Amino acid sequence: MKNIIKATAAIVVILLTFGCSTEYLNPVPKTSLSDLTVFDTKDRVVAQVNGMYAMMKSGQFLGGRFFVYNDVRCENFIPKSSNLVTNFATWNHTVVSSTNEVQNLWSAVYAAVNAINVFLEGLDENWENGKLKEKITEAEYKQFKSEAYTLRAICYFDLLQMYSKPYNQGNGANQGVPLRLKAQKSSGENDLAPSTVAEVYTQILKDLNDAELLAIDKYTTDLLNTTRIHRNTIIAFKTRVLLHMQNWAGVVNESAKIVSSTTPPFKATTGVPHELNPSYANIFAAPYTSKESIFSMPFTTTNTPGTQNGLPHYYSPSSSESYYLGTAAGSTFSKMDPSDARRTMLVTDSQGRYFLGKFLDYTNLTNYAPVIRYAEVLLNRAEAFVRAGGSVTQEAVDLLNAVRTRSFPGGAYTTADFATPADFYDAVLLERNIEFLGEGMRNLDIMRLSLTIPAKDGGSMGSVPAIAPGSATYIWPVPVNELNFNKLMTPNN
Amino acid sequence: MSNEEFVANSALNNIFSDIRIKASYGRVGNMSGIGNYSSLFLYSSGVYGAVPTLTFSQAGNADLKWESSDKYDVGLSFGFLKDKIQTEVSWFYNDINNLILSVPQSPSKGIPGNSIPANMGSMYNTGVELSLTSYNFVKKNFTWTTNFNFTYLKNEVTALAPGVTEIRATTGGLETTNITVVGKPIGMILVVETRGVDPQTGRRIYVNNQGKEVLFGFEITPSANRWFYRDGSGVAPAITTAADAKPYACAIPKFYGGLDNNLTFRNFDFALNLTYALDFYVYNGTKAGLRDQRWWNNSVEVYKTAWKQPDDITNIPKPVMNDNISNGSSFPISENVERGDYLKVRNISLGYSFTKLPKALAIEKIRLYAQVFNAHVFTKYTGSDPEVSTNGDTNLAPGVDRNTAPQARTWSFGATINF
């Protein structure tokens, strides 16, 4: 009897010792990965790279709204509804620091910046300690870094457009935005003073230049060439940044890397062979991967921009809250020739109002969002030639004509059409206005030259006065949440 | 206590039977309201076009620990009329520390959700609970028991995270409807105060943060002139939630409880359960949306009872096409905050039990029943159900009804078989 008791006791003790485990106290989630395992395989690293793009593609940012804000705050569009969710306050310049657009865009861009910083920190750490050396090649390591740097540069450039005074006001001496370059994973470090506009541009150029040295030449498919960063993407984006910094010589030098000749046809001969697409309408038709689309954000039926975020929603004739083109005398519409492909592409509703015809998938919202196209590089180069040289050269006119005659064959200019460089600048700005309607370019052009935002008449939606560059509503205010929780942040006007 | 000599021999013992006094103290931990993995640093998956992605989705907090709740309870229970009525009264004080709150981060840090949960903040709940059970009839074939309970509750926040003076919570990410501040109950309803409609002009009267009355006309141009002082002193700055809203009403009931009646007669059983909650408010955002003057709703009272000419006294302003502001759709106003007091017939059930069954079946009892759950609500609340919460069981944003479906009335019929 005693032996049985002893044996039972022994078995019980053994069971208790090995039966208990503390793993139930520290469960590991089955549907999420922790930071300790996320660099374990190549697939996970590639997924993180694509994750950075997915953060940029937030509906609040490059998934749609950023383009819409930059268009509707200018003179071309009129809203059908006063719904604040569909950017009415952006249209009539009544945003305040607590407005949803102001807060949500800032949060979305910085969320993308932090995702990029967290990835860069993890990538470098795991490469240095050798963990990744068997899983990815050195070329891939460099390529991923170049993608991260470029995306971060795009984030900071876009932040400056909305929340700080243009570079050309004081050569960047005004308040910019806080430069977050370190991964943020825990509480603390809420306070960071904003850098000046010039300092942010310096960082943007540094990121782009570093990225260019590490970038991949080209990918294996058209889809990857359009939706991921490669060397020519970086160069194209640099021409945009340098144009905003008014570094005309810089624009000419950079664009020369992807504009091979001094006479038409203009194309890139190294890396991805970018060129103008012969048909304007086809740029915006599936599969959206023409040689002209340097960088676009992809969408599928299972990966949409989100409710009231996508470009098709804002330009749909049947939506009650979309935007149509103003057609009064002096409007951009009135300056389009009726035979211009960009005008024939417009769609109308039953009241005869004109809507953009670029983003037609109103149901599934699968139209790609164009971040940068080859046409912009040519127009940047054309304008930079004249600004740098002070006279209107044939090459500049050819570049302008290449874009113009692609859609409007009868509209070719000659150098005789431009008595002064100022006439040329007007023509380039008009061409950009028409060419990039709905692609978020107009506000960028107005900002970089500190032009007045023109007045607009929205009919029953009210009229909005012109906004001069010195006005308090010229740029968006700093969001109230940033002012509340970042003690070193200051208002920007 | 009834066993003590001084009570047993006193007159008290003739009235009360079985008096007990009790007290308890406990410390419990609470981790509800946060996920199972809130302390971990996590990535989640998604897609970029058609390729898979991994994105940093949660910045955890390795120091996260239990909320601790110190509960003090002092109670008295006694019976009278020879234990026919049993009563329990207790006073409780619940001091909650290390409240797990989402501490807001500066948006420029880019933390997912812009907040990190941390143990900060404290609040207390205090009140009185009363429970009365009455054995009205206990006979061989008939019993009837009634139970009534009543609770008085006071809640107050005593501290928030350092450097944080208020926590605002939104509904649907679109409108800020609640605020938590020290010295008030948690999750107060946050609205701009309105004082009805101006009889002279038919405009909604708003109260700004200076206490001045401001009127609003949607159709006035230019749009900067739409807000103007009621006393005629000119154009006013636009009223917004951020500048002018204040903690207006408490969404947590001050009194609540229930009344249960259980009867049995031979093999029948019948139960009628009522619950009630008193002295709390609900923000009726559904009504705000229905009175929106854009073309998507057809709320009849907006036209029938709207202001039509000077000297009309009404709570609906002059209707203007596309006006989404005057009736509180664009941002919450106190016009749409209503008392939510209710009495609900929670449950009515009737059953019959078969107990004398042939032994061969090996069944002890079969009970057939019919039951209605949520049979009826008595309330002055004009929305669909004063108990809905659009924000679920969050403690920071209670009492909001924004287009949420009410609880359903459920009829069920069934049989319970005991083997």
Side-chain angles (χ1 to χ4, degrees):
Chain A
M1 189 60 190
K2 261 194 183 161
N3 287 338
I4 295 175
I5 295 173
K6 276 193 201 159
T8 317
I11 291 171
V12 167
V13 167
I14 292 169
L15 278 174
L16 281 175
T17 320
F18 295 103
C20 287
S21 64
T22 52
E23 66 184 47
Y24 293 110
L25 293 178
N26 293 309
V28 172
K30 302 261 190 297
T31 52
S32 309
L33 288 179
S34 90
D35 53 336
L36 303 168
T37 57
V38 86
F39 282 93
D40 281 356
T41 70
K42 177 176 171 180
D43 281 344
R44 290 185 187 178
V45 178
V46 173
Q48 284 184 70
V49 175
N50 283 313
M52 294 190 292
Y53 288 89
M55 294 295 282
M56 309 283 289
K57 218 185 80 173
S58 157
Q60 297 294 333
F61 183 28
L62 292 177
R65 280 176 174 265
F66 184 72
F67 303 105
V68 178
Y69 300 150
N70 280 294
D71 269 304
V72 306
R73 82 189 298 255
C74 305
E75 77 278 21
N76 293 320
F77 292 97
I78 300 174
K80 280 169 87 170
S81 116
S82 58
N83 189 353
L84 292 175
V85 175
T86 48
N87 314 329
F88 185 64
T90 299
W91 178 78
N92 71 358
H93 298 283
T94 53
V95 294
V96 291
S97 56
S98 55
T99 307
N100 284 334
E101 293 98 285
V102 173
Q103 305 242 63
N104 291 344
L105 176 67
W106 179 278
S107 288
V109 181
Y110 272 110
V113 168
N114 197 32
I116 295 166
N117 288 336
V118 167
F119 173 70
L120 277 171
E121 182 186 87
L123 182 73
D124 278 335
E125 192 183 304
N126 283 288
W127 183 260
E128 302 299 318
N129 69 18
K131 203 165 147 205
L132 276 180
K133 287 228 163 72
E134 290 118 52
K135 311 209 171 79
I136 62 175
T137 66
E138 184 160 2
E140 285 168 332
Y141 165 69
K142 289 181 173 172
Q143 173 205 324
F144 297 153
K145 276 186 88 149
S146 82
E147 295 183 79
Y149 287 143
T150 312
L151 291 177
R152 187 166 73 184
I154 296 177
C155 285
Y156 278 113
F157 180 80
D158 287 347
L159 276 173
L160 288 177
Q161 301 316 305
M162 306 304 293
Y163 298 101
S164 65
K165 295 190 176 149
Y167 185 88
N168 82 341
Q169 290 185 21
N171 270 344
N174 289 305
Q175 173 177 308
V177 295
L179 262 181
R180 297 272 183 188
L181 301 172
K182 185 166 156 278
Q184 292 295 335
K185 294 151 94 160
S186 58
S187 47
E189 294 186 6
N190 274 309
D191 303 330
L192 181 64
S195 304
T196 63
V197 171
E199 286 166 346
V200 182
Y201 269 108
T202 304
Q203 179 64 41
I204 293 172
L205 281 177
K206 175 176 185 301
D207 276 345
L208 289 172
N209 287 327
D210 288 345
E212 192 185 348
L213 295 172
L214 302 167
I216 193 175
D217 277 341
K218 60 181 168 190
Y219 294 96
T220 50
T221 66
D222 284 343
L223 177 65
L224 285 173
N225 282 332
T226 308
T227 59
R228 298 272 294 270
I229 304 283
H230 49 83
R231 176 162 302 115
N232 288 352
T233 323
I234 302 171
I235 295 168
F237 199 74
K238 267 207 261 181
T239 66
R240 183 190 282 188
V241 173
L242 290 165
L243 192 73
H244 279 249
M245 292 176 77
Q246 315 215 303
N247 180 348
W248 318 121
V251 177
V252 170
N253 290 337
E254 288 297 333
S255 57
K257 297 177 189 170
I258 51 176
V259 182
S260 56
S261 54
T262 54
T263 53
F266 300 106
K267 54 172 78 153
T269 46
T270 56
V272 176
H274 293 301
E275 58 181 3
L276 287 177
N277 202 46
S279 151
Y280 185 76
N282 277 348
I283 303 170
F284 306 102
Y288 315 104
T289 53
S290 69
K291 294 279 178 293
E292 173 155 358
S293 301
I294 299 180
F295 185 38
S296 305
M297 293 269 133
F299 294 100
T300 67
T301 48
T302 49
N303 185 218
T304 60
T307 313
Q308 296 167 310
N309 293 339
L311 284 161
H313 180 77
Y314 282 96
Y315 302 113
S316 156
S318 56
S319 159
S320 62
E321 49 193 25
S322 55
Y323 288 77
Y324 57 95
L325 280 168
T327 52
S331 67
T332 308
F333 175 84
S334 67
K335 296 178 189 160
M336 286 198 253
D337 187 276
S339 67
D340 192 325
R342 298 166 294 196
R343 162 109 178 233
T344 58
M345 219 178 128
L346 301 173
V347 293
T348 54
D349 70 353
S350 54
Q351 293 180 38
R353 297 182 291 200
Y354 286 93
F355 293 77
L356 218 53
K358 288 181 183 175
F359 309 111
L360 297 171
D361 187 0
Y362 307 128
T363 328
N364 292 319
L365 308 162
T366 55
N367 299 107
Y368 285 21
V371 180
I372 187 164
R373 293 197 274 125
Y374 197 61
E376 184 192 335
V377 177
L378 298 181
L379 291 171
N380 291 347
R381 186 169 166 78
E383 185 178 339
F385 266 134
V386 181
R387 294 219 189 244
S391 68
V392 183
T393 60
Q394 184 60 48
E395 189 174 353
V397 174
D398 285 342
L399 286 162
L400 174 57
N401 279 337
V403 175
R404 186 170 169 81
T405 56
R406 182 260 298 270
S407 307
F408 176 27
Y413 291 113
T414 61
T415 47
D417 290 326
F418 305 112
T420 65
D423 296 331
F424 186 79
Y425 305 144
D426 288 343
V428 169
L429 283 173
L430 173 65
E431 205 59 37
R432 292 170 76 101
N433 205 355
I434 298 174
E435 175 76 14
F436 299 111
L437 268 177
E439 296 176 57
M441 180 62 67
R442 185 60 181 150
N443 187 51
L444 266 54
D445 281 343
I446 288 180
M447 290 286 121
R448 68 179 170 90
L449 297 168
S450 286
L451 300 175
T452 298
I453 303 177
K456 47 203 181 196
D457 180 5
S460 62
M461 288 299 140
S463 63
V464 184
I467 314 273
S471 153
T473 50
Y474 194 62
I475 56 174
W476 274 8
V478 175
V480 67
N481 280 346
E482 188 69 28
L483 290 169
N484 281 342
F485 297 111
N486 176 354
K487 300 284 180 292
L488 295 175
M489 191 66 194
T490 46
N492 58 7
N493 53 13
Chain B
M1 215 166 90
S2 45
N3 288 343
E4 291 285 334
E5 238 181 74
F6 71 88
V7 174
N9 293 336
S10 77
L12 274 175
N13 206 25
N14 293 340
I15 313 168
F16 300 109
S17 49
D18 194 32
I19 306 179
R20 279 170 223 235
I21 189 165
K22 54 188 181 173
S24 69
Y25 166 76
R27 171 175 282 191
V28 295
N30 175 38
M31 281 208 358
S32 69
I34 59 170
N36 292 332
Y37 307 109
S38 295
S39 61
L40 301 178
F41 187 93
L42 296 176
Y43 285 74
S44 51
S45 55
V47 274
Y48 171 59
V51 293
T53 62
L54 269 176
T55 16
F56 160 37
S57 61
Q58 178 175 292
N61 179 359
D63 297 329
L64 208 56
K65 59 179 197 253
W66 299 83
E67 282 180 358
S68 65
S69 178
D70 289 328
K71 291 179 185 268
Y72 303 86
D73 205 284
V74 176
L76 189 67
S77 75
F78 50 87
F80 45 121
L81 298 179
K82 291 206 177 69
D83 262 1
K84 197 158 182 196
I85 300 182
Q86 291 176 348
T87 316
E88 258 187 62
V89 181
S90 65
W91 168 85
F92 63 90
Y93 181 83
N94 197 353
D95 191 9
I96 305 163
N97 289 307
N98 290 323
L99 261 183
I100 297 178
L101 292 177
S102 292
V103 180
Q105 308 291 308
S106 340
S108 62
K109 281 176 71 177
I111 300 278
N114 286 331
S115 68
I116 294 181
N119 296 92
M120 305 276 186
S122 53
M123 70 177 183
Y124 69 79
N125 282 331
T126 185
V128 174
E129 282 175 326
L130 167 72
S131 169
L132 270 169
T133 309
S134 168
Y135 297 92
N136 302 324
F137 282 97
V138 184
K139 302 254 176 357
K140 184 158 157 284
N141 279 332
F142 179 61
T143 63
W144 177 18
T145 316
T146 306
N147 178 284
F148 173 68
N149 45 51
F150 169 86
T151 308
Y152 160 68
L153 170 69
K154 175 171 161 31
N155 167 285
E156 188 178 309
V157 175
T158 48
L160 290 174
V164 176
T165 52
E166 60 179 37
I167 300 181
R168 294 186 177 222
T170 59
T171 297
L174 288 177
E175 56 178 14
T176 307
T177 47
N178 298 81
I179 187 169
T180 299
V181 287
V182 172
K184 293 208 153 68
I186 196 167
M188 299 266 303
I189 295 175
L190 178 75
V191 289
V192 174
E193 185 188 345
T194 54
R195 293 182 185 153
V197 169
D198 177 32
Q200 293 314 307
T201 57
R203 311 284 189 195
R204 173 82 62 200
I205 303 172
Y206 293 81
V207 181
N208 72 5
N209 57 20
Q210 309 292 316
K212 287 185 76 171
E213 290 185 344
V214 175
L215 303 180
F216 174 75
F218 183 84
E219 76 283 14
I220 298 175
T221 53
S223 56
N225 291 359
R226 297 193 299 177
W227 298 90
F228 52 99
Y229 290 107
R230 189 177 181 200
D231 59 13
S233 55
V235 169
I239 300 269
T240 61
T241 296
D244 306 292
K246 44 194 182 228
Y248 187 79
C250 175
I252 302 173
K254 228 194 223 129
F255 307 103
Y256 59 92
L259 178 67
D260 296 335
N261 279 294
N262 288 299
L263 286 85
T264 60
F265 177 69
R266 298 233 170 96
N267 283 347
F268 286 97
D269 58 85
F270 175 76
L272 174 67
N273 300 331
L274 306 172
T275 58
Y276 63 90
L278 304 173
D279 203 352
F280 70 105
Y281 291 85
V282 181
Y283 167 61
N284 193 347
T286 311
K287 183 165 83 173
L290 286 172
R291 289 181 176 174
D292 186 315
Q293 297 282 29
R294 290 172 289 178
W295 58 269
W296 20 271
N297 292 311
N298 279 308
S299 189
V300 169
E301 82 265 19
V302 177
Y303 305 102
K304 271 182 146 172
T305 58
W307 182 94
K308 291 185 185 56
Q309 69 236 341
D311 293 326
D312 271 354
I313 308 280
T314 171
N315 64 337
I316 305 282
K318 173 166 116 162
V320 176
M321 178 70 174
N322 281 329
D323 181 0
N324 59 342
I325 294 179
S326 299
N327 282 321
S329 180
S330 175
F331 59 85
I333 54 178
S334 66
E335 170 71 26
N336 293 322
V337 176
E338 301 182 38
R339 278 287 279 251
D341 299 19
Y342 66 83
L343 173 69
K344 276 195 176 180
V345 181
R346 182 74 71 193
N347 183 35
I348 306 178
S349 77
L350 178 66
Y352 185 83
S353 301
F354 295 95
T355 45
K356 294 198 179 63
L357 295 163
K359 281 215 168 55
L361 287 174
I363 296 177
E364 198 186 304
K365 177 170 98 164
I366 298 180
R367 174 173 176 260
L368 299 174
Y369 63 89
Q371 188 172 354
V372 184
F373 180 78
N374 207 24
H376 193 76
V377 187
F378 297 92
T379 180
K380 285 219 166 65
Y381 178 66
T382 62
S384 57
D385 185 345
E387 257 189 317
V388 294
S389 171
T390 301
N391 293 315
D393 60 2
T394 165
N395 51 16
L396 289 175
V400 175
D401 174 5
R402 246 298 181 185
N403 307 329
T404 304
Q407 294 182 11
R409 178 187 298 139
T410 315
W411 296 83
S412 39
F413 303 92
T416 317
I417 305 178
N418 288 15
F419 289 96

